[in-house]
Structures are given as C-alpha cells and as structure tokens.
C-alpha cells in the first residue's frame, strides 16, 4: 500500500513531537507500506518568519516572502529525515525543486499545476521514507512560490493524487473535523464523515482544519481524506464524495476574521457602475465576497462588499486611484468585521435555517451587518469582537440539528 501522511506545524513543533511523528510514520513503514510524508514548518515558525521580515521591511515583495517562508518547511523535512536516520531507518527529504512541483506564478498564493512522480517513486522503490516539503512549489521562472497559509494540506492531497496513493491522512492537533472550531465552541462535536462539498464550504468559510484548495483537489481527483490527531489514536473524520450517515440539516459553523468591508458611497445610479468597480478589482486579482447594493436615491446608490483583510491595502489603492472614474462621493473601510457561517447540504430545502440563525444572534444581542446565502450555507457579517460569541450562540441554536 502507498500511504501519504501530512503532519501540521504543531505536530512537529519540538524534538519530542518530531520523534512522536517518526514513530507514527514507522508504524506503517514497518508493515511494508510505502510512505510519503508531507510536513509543515515547526510550530509558529511561519509566523515568526513573517514577523522577522516585517522588522526589516514593513512591505516586502511577495517573491522574497516566499523565498523566506519556504525555509520553514525545509527545516522540518530535513530534521525528520535525521530523526528517522537516528532510529535506524532510511529516509530522504525533498523540496519542491527536487520533486518538481510546478505551480502558477502568483507569489504567496500559487496553485499547484503538476507534480512529477518520478523522483518520489524511485526513492520509494529503494525503500526510502520520502519526506516532502509542504506549502511550496516552483513557477515557470524557476522561482519558489507558496500556496497560501495552510497550504501543506494541498501539497499532501495533490501528491496523493499524483501517486495514486491508497490513503491520504491529514494529521493535526485536534481529533478530526468538528461541528465548529473546538477551541472556540466547547460543545463542538466530532463529525465521522463529511462530503467534499460541505467540507469545501466549511474550509472556505474559515474552518482552517483543512486548506480549502486541498478539498477542491481531493474532490477533483477522488482522493478520500482522513483528518485525525497526531497525538491520539482516535478514528478521525473521513472526507469523501458521499456519506453513508443520514443527512443532518447542518454540518457545521465556521468563523473567519480575515475579512474587511468596503463601502463605496454615492455612486451614480446608472448601468455599468457595478461592472466598472468589480472589473477593476478582478483585474488586480482581488477576490470579492459578500456584495450589497442599496436602493438608488436621488440618482446615486451605495455598493458595499467584503474582501480578505490581507488584501485590503491593495483594494484601497486600486479604488483610490480610480475614484474619478467611479464617480463615487466617498469610500469607507472597516477592518474590524468578521464572517460567521452555517453550512449544510440539508438546508437547501429547509426554510427554517435562516430564521433559526438570526434568532440565535438576536437572543445574544448581536447585530448583523450583511447577509449572504447560497444553497448550502448562510453567512453573516458582524463586528469582529462578536465572532466567538456568535459562533457559540449559533452552535447552541442548531445543537439538535447536527
Ligand atoms: P495544522 O498545523 O495541523 O495544519 P491548523 O492549525 O492549520 O493545523 O488546523 C487545525 C486547527 O483548526 C485546530 O487546532 C482548530 O482550532 C482549527 N479548526 C477550525 N475549525 C475547525 C473545525 N471545524 N474542526 C476542527 N478544527 C477546526
Ligand atoms: N507553514 C505554512 C503556514 O503556516 C503552511 C502550513 O502550515 O500548511 O501557513
Ligand atoms: Mg493547517
């Protein structure tokens, strides 16, 4: 059997944890399986590297950031290879150049395009345990890129797809996917099985237990995932196309603080203005999420929308540079907002979901700034300071429906 295992940063944070992971790798290797391991940077290394960069230059280029951040993953794989060597087992660490993991050229948010399986396969044939750096790739300029925060999950799933692996296991610091972040909602329950579609929504809406693109790749190539703890032997959560268990109304609650709101006030109320605004943002690679347009009054209207907080500065620049063209009276920015969502495939045909969500927020005295819905989710925008309270209130409101 060929098994791909991915261990996150906290799972390899220090010497003791490195050896704990080494033992878990060996459990399968000793049974005769081929084992490929994808690792993240140890503990808070990535955050520390970001802080270090900002000390030198508050606004570093994305290319140089990628060059710096990818060193974290390189440390992890080499240290793990040393631990395995020390235990008497053959291991080899490989980075994105050595494997040939090709990505698009967008620094700090690249997408994997192709993974060459040749080198990994030949190392496996020699009975090596293969340790691969997560989160990184190489673009067509032969520059190193990163896949976005949390991207090691995507590396693991893409490698599992490229190698046609029999199993892909994502080991982390909780026992699986829960009905909400168990660190925020104490009553959150572990989910045994979840579909790709629901997991993709949860991950995209802020449940960082899996990188959202890892779920996209898993769905595209039919890679069944298991999310489980690196510290206990609990069963974990299976992520797959269809679940055997009966459909519940909702599968989970997610919160996302990487959100900012922009309000463009007093735009001329005529055709083409929304197109002009959003095409400008799209041309600059700025993703827009919730959009709200007011009713036109006295020949003008307002358009508010949200963007990821980490691109607010970029969005500000694009809008301010084009204020004249947009004919807007003013623009307001708010980076103290957050988005809280409920997700569930069962909600499409159930009209009670929105009202139950709003009632839960009302009972806790939490104000809603914006609302957005789709077939399988409802999101609200609220004050950032209310995030945890809102997640708990909504989770409590839906507790019999999970
Ligand atoms: P790793 O370093 O292993 O990649 P992450 O910190 O990226 O780990 O993701 C695991 C964390 O995701 C958990 O510690 C938990 O706080 C958080 N999390 C958010 N939402 C959920 C959820 N629905 N289920 C489980 N964990 C969640
Ligand atoms: N080390 C990277 C991060 O902290 C990638 C990952 O952990 O998946 O975002
Ligand atoms: Mg992660």
């Amino acid at each position: 059997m060929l098994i791909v295992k991915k261990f996150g940063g906290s799972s390899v944070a220090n010497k003791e944890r490195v050896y704990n992971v080494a033992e878990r790798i060996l459990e399968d290797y000793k049974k005769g399986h081929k084992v490929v391991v994808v690792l993240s940077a140890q503990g808070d290394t990535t955050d520390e590297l970001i802080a270090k960069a900002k000390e030198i230059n508050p606004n570093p280029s994305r290319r140089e950031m990628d060059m710096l951040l990818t060193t974290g993953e390189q440390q992890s794989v080499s240290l793990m290879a040393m631990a395995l060597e020390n235990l008497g087992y053959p291991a080899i660490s490989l980075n994105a150049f050595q494997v040939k993991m090709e990505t698009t050229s967008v620094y700090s948010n690249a997408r994997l395009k192709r993974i060459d399986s040749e080198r990994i396969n030949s190392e496996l044939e020699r009975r090596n345990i293969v340790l691969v750096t997560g989160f990184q790739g190489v673009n067509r300029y032969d520059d190193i890129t990163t896949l976005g925060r949390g991207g090691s999950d995507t590396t693991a799933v893409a490698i599992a797809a490229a190698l046609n692996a029999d199993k892909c296991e994502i080991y982390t610091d909780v026992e699986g996917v829960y009905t909400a972040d168990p660190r925020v909602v104490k009553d959150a329950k572990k989910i045994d099985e979840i579909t790709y579609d629901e997991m993709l929504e949860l991950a995209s809406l802020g449940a960082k237990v899996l990188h959202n693109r890892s779920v996209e790749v898993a769905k595209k190539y039919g890679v069944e995932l298991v999310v489980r703890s690196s510290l206990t032997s609990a069963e974990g959560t299976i992520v797959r196309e269809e679940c055997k268990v009966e459909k519940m109304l909702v599968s989970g609650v997610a919160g996302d603080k990487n959100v900012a709101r922009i309000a463009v006030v007093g735009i001329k109320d005529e055709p083409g203005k929304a197109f002009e605004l959003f095409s400008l943002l799209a041309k600059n690679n700025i993703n827009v999420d919730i959009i709200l347009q007011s009713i036109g009054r006295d020949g003008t209207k307002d358009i508010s929308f949200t963007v990821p907080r980490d691109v607010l500065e970029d969005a500000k620049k694009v809008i301010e540079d084009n204020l004249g063209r947009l004919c807007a009276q003013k623009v307001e920015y708010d980076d103290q907002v957050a988005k809280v969502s409920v997700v569930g495939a069962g909600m499409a045909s159930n009209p009670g979901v929105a009202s139950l969500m709003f009632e839960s927020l009302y009972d806790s005295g939490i104000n809603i700034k914006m609302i957005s819905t789709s077939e399988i989710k409802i999101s609200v925008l609220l004050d950032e300071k209310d995030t945890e309270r809102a997640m708990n209130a909504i989770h409590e409101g839906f507790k019999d429906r999970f």
Side-chain angles (χ1 to χ4, degrees), residues 184-216:
V184 176
V185 178
K186 290 284 163 274
D187 293 335
K189 289 190 205 67
K190 193 172 83 189
I191 301 169
D192 293 331
E193 292 184 329
I194 187 167
T195 62
Y196 292 129
D197 289 335
E198 286 174 301
M199 190 62 236
L200 184 56
E201 283 291 334
L202 275 180
S204 304
L205 293 167
K208 69 167 183 167
V209 61
L210 282 177
H211 191 231
N212 61 352
R213 289 228 282 280
S214 73
V215 188
E216 259 172 41

Side-chain angles (χ1 to χ4, degrees), residues 6 40-41 46 73 135 148-153:
K6 179 260 172 180
S40 297
T46 309
E73 271 64 20
F135 180 52
R149 296 303 307 266
S152 299
D153 300 327

Side-chain angles (χ1 to χ4, degrees), residues 273-283 288 291 303-305:
K273 282 295 165 217
F275 169 61
E276 204 159 329
L277 173 61
F278 293 115
S279 65
L280 258 176
L281 294 164
K283 266 185 219 138
V288 172
I291 301 175
I303 298 180
S304 335
F305 56 94

